[in-house]
Amino acid sequence: MTDQAHNGEKVAWTEQELAEIEEIASRYPSRRSAMLPVLWMAQHKFGWLSLPVLELVAETVGVPPSEARAVASFYTMLKKKPTGRYVLQVCHTLSCALNGAEEIIRHIESKYDFDENGNTPDGLFTLERVECLASCGSGPMMQVGEHYYERLTPEKVDEILAGFESGEPLPTPRPEADEWQWNLQS
Amino acid sequence: MDWIQIGIVAAKIGFAVAFVMSIVPILIWGERKWSAYIQDRPGPNRAQIAGIRAGGLVHVLTDVVKLFMKEDVQPTAAMKAYWWVAPLIPMIVGLMTFTVVPWSSDFAIPAHSFGDWPAADLTIPMQVARINAGMLFILAFSSLSVYGIMLAGWGSNNKFSMLGGLRASAQMISYELAMGLSVVVMFLVYGTVRLDEIAQQQAGSIFNWGIFAPTGFIVGLIAFLIYWTSVLAETNRLPFDLPEGEAEIVAGYHTEYSSMRFALFFMAEYAHMIVGSTLTVTLFFGSYNIPFLRPETLQANIDGVLIALGCLGIPVNLFFAWLAWKRRRRVFYLSIRPDDPRQKEPKFWVAVWTMAALASAGLAVLGISRWVGMHLLAAETAVLLLHIGMLLVKVMFFCYVFVWIRWTLPRFRYDQLMNLGWRMMVPVAIANVLLAGIWVIIRETFLA
Amino acid sequence: MPTVKVNGIEVEVAPGTNMIEAARQAGVDIPHYCYHPHLPVAGNCRMCLVDVEAGGRGPDIACNMQARDGLAIRTDTDNVKRMRRSVMEFLLVNHPLDCPICDQAGECRLQDYYMEHGQHHSRLADEKITRTKRQDIGDLIILDADRCIACSRCVRFSDEVTKTGELRLFNRTDHTEIGVFPGTRLSHHYQGCLADICPVGALTNKDFRFQKRSWYLRAEPSVCDRCATGCNIDVDHDHGEVFRYRPRRNDAVNKSWMCDFGRLSYKRLAAEDRILTARGPEGAEGVDAVLAGLAAAVDAAARDHGDGSVGLVLGTRATNEANWAMLRALRAAVPGARVFLVEGNDPDAFDYTDDLLVHADKNPNTAGVRLIAEADGAVGDAEALRAALADGGLRLLLVLADDVLARLGEVRRPEALAFFGTWANATSEAARWVLPLAAAQEVEGSFTNFQGRVQRLQPAIPAAGDSRPGQVLAAGLARALGEDALPAGAAGVFHDLAANVPAFFGLSLAGLGAEGALVHREPPTEQVAPPDTRPAP
Amino acid sequence: MTQQVPGPEMTTGQKFYVREVLQGLWITLKHTVRNVLNADENFTIIDYPDVKKVMPERYKGAHRLTTRPDGKVKCVACMMCAQICPAKCITIEAGEDPDDPVEKYPVQFQIDMLRCIYCGFCVEACPKDAIRMDTGIYEINGFTRQDLIHDKAYMKDLKAGKKPLAEDWYREHPEDAPPGYDVKAPKLREGY
Amino acid sequence: MAMEPSILTSRWKIPDAHRIDVAMKHGAWATLPAALKMAPGEITQVVKDSGLRGRGGAGFPTGVKWGFVPPPEKRNGKPVYLVCNADESEPGTFKDRYLMWKDPHMFLEGIVISAYAIGAKAAYIYLRGEFGFVRRRVDEAIAEARAKGFIGRNILGSGVDVEVYTHLGAGAYICGEETALLSSLEGKKGQPKLKPPFPAVEGAWRAPTIVNNVETMAAVTWIVGHGAAAYREFGTEKSPGTKLLSVSGHVLKPGVYEIDMGIPMMDFIMDTAGGLRPGRKLKAVVPGGSSVPIMTPDEVARATIDYESIHEVSGSYLGSGGMIVMDDTTDLAEGLANLLRFYAHESCGQCTPCREGTGWMFRILKRVKEGRATDVDLATLKNLADNIHSKTICFFGASAAMPVQSWLKKFPDEFFGRVHRTGKVGYADVGAEPPGGDKPGGTTQAAK
């Protein structure tokens, strides 16, 4: 399985990954339950879920390729298109919107030149408007990688994005909420 | 009888035939054009000679050519003799009836007008045959035309034809009765059956006309209405053209006829119309008489009449010429190509009407010539021409009435036709005869 | 047996019956899209929402409601009407206005239910969502995802029936779109069924596409003749031309399905190689003349060389009636004639077999002919025929429908061969007399499928050309041979057959019904008098 | 069985029909006189066929097939017109156009004008506004029956005959008006 | 506030409480050994007695739910599964994330106890896809507990086996619905399944499955440890215990609070949650996650925080306890459009009304927001919401419909002020009380 989407590279698992898949599959009574974990693995490995990748996943899990594509198309976090290196997922659901999410999004949009897929031409950023990320009390917020950036202001966004532009790695995955949660402040 | 008399009679026969036969095509054209105008159509307007359509008159020519050229289809099962003879009868009858109709007052040639001839004053009656039977001759002959139709219907060996023939004979016989009775009324009031005498009696004021004074108004009017209705039925014209009911029996008695045989039927219908109109005019509308001008008066004042007519004719004809000239701006002439031959038409018409104006001028010149004593035209000849012209005008008017009625009224149903004939017209006609008798007694007894 | 109430009508149904079927038994039609009697319940179209009067709570979908005692539903309340109207509205919100070009028009559930339950004015002021149109996804299927109402019938069909799972609903929300994995195509041989089960025009039959608007077609029930399964079909025809076959529901045979080979076999009715005229030694002569010539030859052979010189091969592709009439005709005229039955597939049979519907035996009536042969008792098999041909004693061989020469392979040919068949083949090429046999969809009669189920054929279109039903040809031959007593009508022949073949005892053609009837596995010892259903003379 | 619908009772005078007959004669006489005198105005009588009447916008003339901007017919061969046609004069053969987003198109579309009764149902039934009878063509003739079967190629090329009435046209294009024609006070439609 | 209880949040303030060593010092995993000594039925009974209601949103009594699991002899040999619903996606709710992040052992202990109570050998924690970081922490906690022998085979030598796995979703709100969650767990699209059969009878992999919320699991730990009676000391009669509330929106101190059920809502908002920004007035409150009906300030003032009071006062629900507070700067039309965009984006696309209806409602609301709608659209909107509500497979349809219905009903002016008034639609058409001057109910087609 080779594909242009992967620069002609062969789309396949390594031995180690196969073993891991087997371990995951063993947790469930049916092998196809490993679908989501394997899709996650594939996305981490290949960056996004191209058709060859989906075929590989389907073969691994033991379902028709159409099923893998159907599942992948159902979930928003599984990427069906290539993304930039930093995916800026800005929540714009009610609580965040009440606290100015649109302003943050507009600010980010004004900073870069995003195409219709939300990618910057240099492949560094992808801007996504996402629905509620369960950080309503600390909105507006955005998720990059597994990290929650909360209580955003344009200045804070500038700072964060400047860090990414200079090649700063993603911070340790965690929410920031600890620092300000009112009733936890002793 | 000498050769001159034979020549005169032959000339009169020729005139009678020509009178009818030359009006027929004009009437055919007229019917087409008038009906078109009644219905807001343009009427015949395609045939042309060098771009001149003459208002559709050319179509009549083309019709003649067409009917001569067409194949004469003869049904195999037709009864040959009847079938052959049938079309001739109505035509012959139509022409025959015209023989007793006067078309002018007597034409007198004074003695020695042309050298030695005539030896004495020669009075030529202006009708082919001056017979005592007069109107009776017409009644007798016109009832013969039903034979033509019956024979055509029977001889065609076609059920539609047969039905048409039957209908026609029943209808004609029915209405002949009423017609005869209304004519009887006129016999009573005129006291004669001779048409020339009837014509003479109507000279002068229009109140001498048959429908007015001599008949005590009401009698003559009723007689006229019955007579006219019967004439419509006799000629198989709408609203009484049931013998040809297209919706039911195709074309009736002449379904199987084509080519000139059909044309004979066709022309016979128009011939009958002319004869019918002529008789109507003769009986009721003063015959050839010019209103308010007795033949003697006319002859005495022929100069003035000619001058007046000529002078009146010039502006009238020039007006028509002007109209024709104006017509060149019709949308029609703007629509056709500039090099279309029909573009010449306005000029043609202007020419025609100008010629007519010139002819009027000529008439005036003739009158003036007589006035100054040059006598370019004999007074008797002038009177003859004026009388014939008057008759023509009156006949054409009634022909128009034929057409007018045809394109106005719907066709009767057969039972309605019979009802009208037998239960309405015959009783009324009989009553009218009684009325006429009373009137005549009153007139003879008290007013004489 | 639970008793349920539908609109107040009590009806007793089998346990496990859902309420759509229960209502159907009560004579109430509950509209539905996603429910299909032969597919698992999905319950996503929501069209079958009904009011539950007793035994449940609130409005619920009838397809997922199993009949149980005390359950009472109503389908005639205002609430139900309102629900149906709203569901119709939702279904049509993003449905394209494709009816003019859509082949489903006329048999579309959306149209049908809209006329009945729709609200007939649109409240949509926004743009419709569009999806991919006209995708060529299979040899027989065109997919128009824009027309899809996401009922998932086809998904379940490919999962549960063909087990190939090519079709899936991708994405979510109102962007849900039916499709196959990009770059793949349908691979199974039941694609036509997808077009059948699709309640709208999303999946249409490529073969039927734009051929005819469905409302011009009239359907005649018949049976497919392409293999021994004998799928029940509706023959859709107009003015004597057949446009398609559709499977007719018969739970005992084909459920609601049929294979593509059978589905496309309607084309054979008007195929180039149809035998349309009778042919004798002097060329085309008319059926009666050829039958007379054949009869003369039969007479001559029997007279000159003995009864054994005349042979008949029964046809596994001809109806029970044709076989029986032929057998009776020959046995009556030439009592000693030799009769054979050669099983096997003809070269023109399609080469595909599965365990769903397509049977390995591609002849529609093998079982029936076997039973007739069994009853006759003196019918030889292929080996016997081979032997008879080899010794040359068989001088005149009558062949019914099957391509016997091809089935036998290399064999010494008989001196004279007569072929009664529908399509030209090697046997008809070699035959001296060829008689046109009407195709199964053109005749009245019956086939016996591999289960032993006798299924009725009814003529959908007039027989092509000069061709005639087998029993008519047989009767003609019998007449030419001097036997006048044999019946020529299908009902009469079947009556005769049922009276003489034990397995058919008690059956009648008219009594077969829409689902057919099984033959007796173990023939009753006593003959059961069949009802005489022949029309009065 | 037909049923006689009783009309109003006629008076004795009416039974003679004299007044009615005279009324009729008066009307026809009026027409004659007017047409003779107005002949050069030429609008009550049109010199057909050299001058043709401009039909009103809704006149149902010969059919035409409307086209899309790309020149293809709008018709999608849905057979609605053929279905509704009471004279059954429309024959359509459907086909698939692989390059066209509309997919279905009529390979052949024929109207047998000898059968057509000009009811206009086809126009009403068409869901795509593909067929119209607005050509204003009323001269539908031919030398053979075949000539009178209008096919797709013919009907596609017809244009809408939505010509303005002469007075409308002259109002907008005074240069076309006949000499002496008064654009401001037209007297054209008199007599209609 | 002084009255803040600390049952579930007792270890939250302790640094590094997610470490098992730290947690155990403060009482974690202390309940398990005692629970293992009880019979499974006893634990179920304790939970039943405590009156604990599911904290996921529906508020169904947990013990009752456990009771639905068929006894072993009726399971056809199928295992029982416990699934912990950590797919916290309801807008406005973020309590589970805190709970798992701050004190994973609290609910892990509850999971093991519950699994033991219902007889499950395997428990799955289904986390939403965005909670990758939470999953890591939970995985660590599971590993630590496994090392201590609290999870795995033969727990604490009791012979009980409970395996706990985490399973990461991938971004789908609907996977918070229990049957959709199970579908997702099975590796399919996360689409809800038809009920019946209910998951407790036929759930994941067609085996009996109990799905419980994270907070419920944590509460189970406390209840089993302290007894049902102790738990009932908190809260009200029908809504016993404490509840984690996540407060967001226009309050000064948003965050997660544990409260004793039954405290006045207005006090909670104004005091505990810090109150509104200075100078602002309360406009509306969504008390239990975005899908529940909205409350007006008046209703807030009358309500106490428990399942019954909220419903009685306002027809709304406590739901998952995600309280969204809006002050008078809020544009409700925009807010509702925002919510509907969320629902239109998250509908699973399975059943018709929700699949087509949510998108349609969003499109209408978008127009309302942009001022391109008429009041007829509002009636349509209301009607659509009614048509979706409770006509769908799962509760999602109602979740999307309830905000529309309640926002239109309680704040009609906000919407009527944004649309073009045609006069065809009145307040009654959108389900609202007509204000004094407005005539009750317009009549439109949309409303019918």
Side-chain angles (χ1 to χ4, degrees), chain B residues 193-424:
Chain B
V193 296
R194 281 175 58 163
L195 289 171
D196 50 332
E197 286 179 8
I198 292 176
Q200 280 165 15
Q201 286 185 30
Q202 295 181 77
S205 157
I206 60 165
F207 295 103
N208 292 337
W209 286 6
I211 60 165
F212 296 130
T215 60
F217 292 93
I218 185 72
V219 176
L221 189 62
I222 293 173
F224 165 68
L225 286 176
I226 292 172
Y227 180 81
W228 181 250
T229 312
S230 305
V231 164
L232 285 178
E234 284 285 295
T235 50
N236 296 329
R237 296 279 304 180
L238 258 150
F240 302 110
D241 70 334
L242 285 120
E244 303 176 31
E246 290 88 349
E248 307 128 31
I249 51 171
V250 192
Y253 56 88
H254 62 70
T255 304
E256 294 288 0
Y257 286 87
S258 57
S259 179
M260 274 317 283
R261 289 181 204 285
F262 164 73
L264 281 175
F265 278 120
F266 188 61
M267 288 194 296
E269 182 180 328
Y270 286 96
H272 280 133
M273 273 167 70
I274 292 161
V275 172
S277 302
T278 314
L279 287 174
T280 312
V281 169
T282 308
L283 286 175
F284 299 100
F285 289 94
S287 190
Y288 48 79
N289 289 302
I290 297 171
F292 304 108
L293 285 176
R294 290 182 170 278
E296 309 86 72
T297 325
L298 184 62
Q299 193 161 351
N301 301 302
I302 193 71
D303 313 358
V305 170
L306 283 180
I307 293 170
L309 262 182
C311 292
L312 198 67
I314 294 170
V316 168
N317 284 317
L318 284 179
F319 171 75
F320 280 113
W322 174 75
L323 268 187
W325 182 240
K326 221 179 92 175
R327 281 159 69 95
R328 78 190 189 284
R329 295 189 310 207
R330 285 163 63 198
V331 172
F332 169 76
Y333 294 112
L334 300 172
S335 303
I336 57 175
R337 293 154 53 109
D339 56 350
D340 193 291
R342 285 172 292 175
Q343 296 282 18
K344 289 185 290 191
E345 268 182 353
K347 288 174 199 161
F348 167 78
W349 283 112
V350 168
V352 167
W353 288 114
T354 312
M355 300 271 277
L358 285 177
S360 300
L363 205 59
V365 167
L366 285 176
I368 293 168
S369 71
R370 281 189 61 83
W371 190 41
V372 299
M374 278 177 72
H375 294 279
L376 283 177
L377 185 70
E380 291 82 0
T381 318
V383 168
L384 175 72
L385 290 176
L386 285 176
H387 276 163
I388 293 174
M390 194 68 237
L391 183 70
L392 204 60
V393 167
K394 289 179 180 174
V395 167
M396 287 312 287
F397 172 76
F398 280 97
C399 286
Y400 172 71
V401 175
F402 266 109
V403 175
W404 184 14
I405 288 176
R406 173 175 176 186
W407 295 90
T408 302
L409 299 181
R411 181 181 290 160
F412 270 59
R413 218 166 54 210
Y414 203 76
D415 60 322
Q416 291 169 333
L417 175 86
M418 284 293 151
N419 259 337
L420 183 71
W422 289 105
R423 293 171 56 182
M424 180 90 182

Side-chain angles (χ1 to χ4, degrees), chain C residues 405-417:
Chain C
L405 291 186
R407 289 186 186 184
L408 289 174
E410 281 299 308
V411 74
R412 184 176 157 189
R413 306 215 160 167
E415 277 176 25
L417 197 61

Side-chain angles (χ1 to χ4, degrees), chain B residues 176-187:
Chain B
E176 217 146 68
L177 204 60
M179 184 169 89
L181 285 170
S182 61
V183 171
V184 163
V185 171
M186 301 321 284
F187 294 164

